[in-house]
Amino acid sequence: MKISFIKTEMEPAGMRRDEQSDKRKGLYFSLMLLLILFNYSYRYIFQYNDETSSAFVYTDTPLPFKIAKYVILLILLVLMLINERGIVLEKRNWSIKLPALFLLAQSALYGILIRDDKILVFAMLLCPLFVYPNRGLPKEQTVEKILDFFWYYTTIYEIIQIVLFYTTGRVPALAFPHRGTLMAVRYGGAFDDPNGYATVLIFYVFWFLLQKPGLKSIIRLMITLLMLVFTWSGTGFIAVLATALLFFLFRIKDKPVVRRFLIIGGAFAAVALLILLIKPVLYSSVFQYFVDGKGGSISGHLKSWDVSMLD
């Protein structure tokens, strides 16, 4: 009887410890998500990025700003390991972990070859997927609240950028208004990075498509698509088309979602066709400028993979 009594007393205590551990896991994941989404908010405010960007009015990011987010990230990773009392290699959900492993290897190799610390940090962000148990993740409602808040935050952030540009001439990153075209000013929201921001906006596009139908979700979807256009990101445009194709194939049996998908896609196609019919010269000149401009950008990205000059 005594042994049984001790056993029943230990079980609730162990369960309480597991619950507390799970809460800490959810907190650490939430903090990491907040760090990923909000850590570049200082760029536009202080005009820190790269001295060659934004009509040469930006300056290189000071070392303390660079180091701070890496220190915070490292602290969170250490807290995760302490909470686990070591590393536990999980065997579940390899359909998610195998693509992540590919990204981890690619990012680590790329970051080492071109000596880019930002890419190496991205590789670090993938590590918890392999050592962190599946239980204890943030609640779905918590993640949705964080994503919701960030969407409103970055939308207001971008509106401020647009207003300040047209009223005071203040430029965001990768903006060169002296070129005299609409595409010479690229908006990157709270990231102040048009290409990186475009990938986040693509997530929001399909997230809103999957939400419960209503005026609110439609308005937010249209605003997101408009912000995606204002990034003038060739990478983003290609990625959203590829994602749309896969999304359509995977959700083809979900009639309400497919209906909204076709309505939104048809609306954008109709606007593009209308511009083509009314202003064919404007359409062709804008398209030609976009293609020409992206040619130089593509060449620059390809050069970053050239490791022949590394000593």
Side-chain angles (χ1 to χ4, degrees), residues 29-288:
F29 262 109
S30 298
L31 290 174
M32 185 171 285
L33 180 59
L34 288 168
L35 176 66
I36 293 169
L37 292 175
F38 291 90
N39 81 91
Y40 285 125
S41 294
Y42 66 83
R43 281 180 166 180
Y44 178 74
I45 297 171
F46 296 106
Q47 292 188 307
Y48 289 155
N49 194 335
D50 185 283
E51 63 181 5
T52 62
S53 66
S54 300
F56 310 105
V57 300
Y58 270 47
T59 56
D60 286 336
T61 304
L63 188 59
F65 279 83
K66 291 181 179 180
I67 293 176
K69 55 180 174 288
Y70 303 148
V71 171
I72 296 172
L73 173 61
L74 183 60
I75 291 173
L76 288 174
L77 291 175
V78 170
L79 288 173
M80 288 178 177
L81 292 176
I82 292 174
N83 192 56
E84 286 303 305
R85 298 181 178 87
I87 296 176
V88 180
L89 291 176
E90 286 290 314
K91 298 180 180 179
R92 291 172 287 180
N93 291 342
W94 280 104
S95 60
I96 297 173
K97 293 175 182 178
L98 281 177
L101 182 62
F102 173 77
L103 280 175
L104 174 63
Q106 182 188 44
S107 301
L109 178 62
Y110 186 29
I112 292 170
L113 288 176
I114 69 170
R115 300 172 186 178
D116 191 319
D117 58 327
K118 295 187 292 296
I119 298 176
L120 290 174
V121 168
F122 172 75
M124 289 174 59
L125 289 171
L126 296 171
C127 292
L129 285 174
F130 305 100
V131 300
Y132 215 47
N134 297 318
R135 62 186 180 85
L137 297 177
K139 294 180 180 179
E140 186 176 337
Q141 297 88 337
T142 302
V143 175
E144 288 183 352
K145 286 179 180 178
I146 293 174
L147 293 174
D148 251 1
F149 178 76
F150 178 75
W151 186 87
Y152 285 109
Y153 171 79
T154 192
T155 301
I156 294 171
Y157 201 108
E158 182 157 327
I159 291 172
I160 293 173
Q161 289 177 324
I162 295 171
V163 170
L164 288 179
F165 173 69
Y166 284 103
T167 57
T168 68
R170 183 185 174 96
V171 291
L174 298 183
F176 299 90
H178 56 274
R179 293 180 181 174
T181 66
L182 179 64
M183 286 176 286
V185 181
R186 303 173 61 190
Y187 297 96
F191 282 17
D192 208 20
D193 171 15
N195 290 328
Y197 188 52
T199 60
V200 175
L201 291 176
I202 291 170
F203 164 80
Y204 278 105
V205 166
F206 296 97
W207 188 44
F208 292 144
L209 270 174
L210 291 172
Q211 287 184 354
K212 185 178 179 179
L215 182 61
K216 180 181 177 181
S217 61
I218 292 175
I219 292 174
R220 295 174 74 182
L221 175 59
M222 298 303 292
I223 292 173
T224 304
L225 286 169
L226 192 60
M227 290 193 293
L228 180 59
V229 171
F230 284 163
T231 64
W232 299 112
S233 170
T235 303
F237 296 162
I238 294 172
V240 75
L241 292 175
T243 307
L245 177 60
L246 293 173
F247 179 85
F248 182 79
L249 292 175
F250 281 113
R251 306 290 301 197
I252 196 167
K253 294 183 179 180
D254 192 339
K255 292 183 179 179
V257 172
V258 171
R259 190 181 301 114
R260 292 198 301 274
F261 176 84
L262 294 176
I263 290 173
I264 298 298
F268 267 80
V271 171
L273 181 61
L274 187 63
I275 295 173
L276 178 61
L277 293 174
I278 296 175
K279 286 282 188 179
V281 176
L282 173 64
Y283 186 84
S284 61
S285 62
V286 168
F287 182 76
Q288 187 62 44

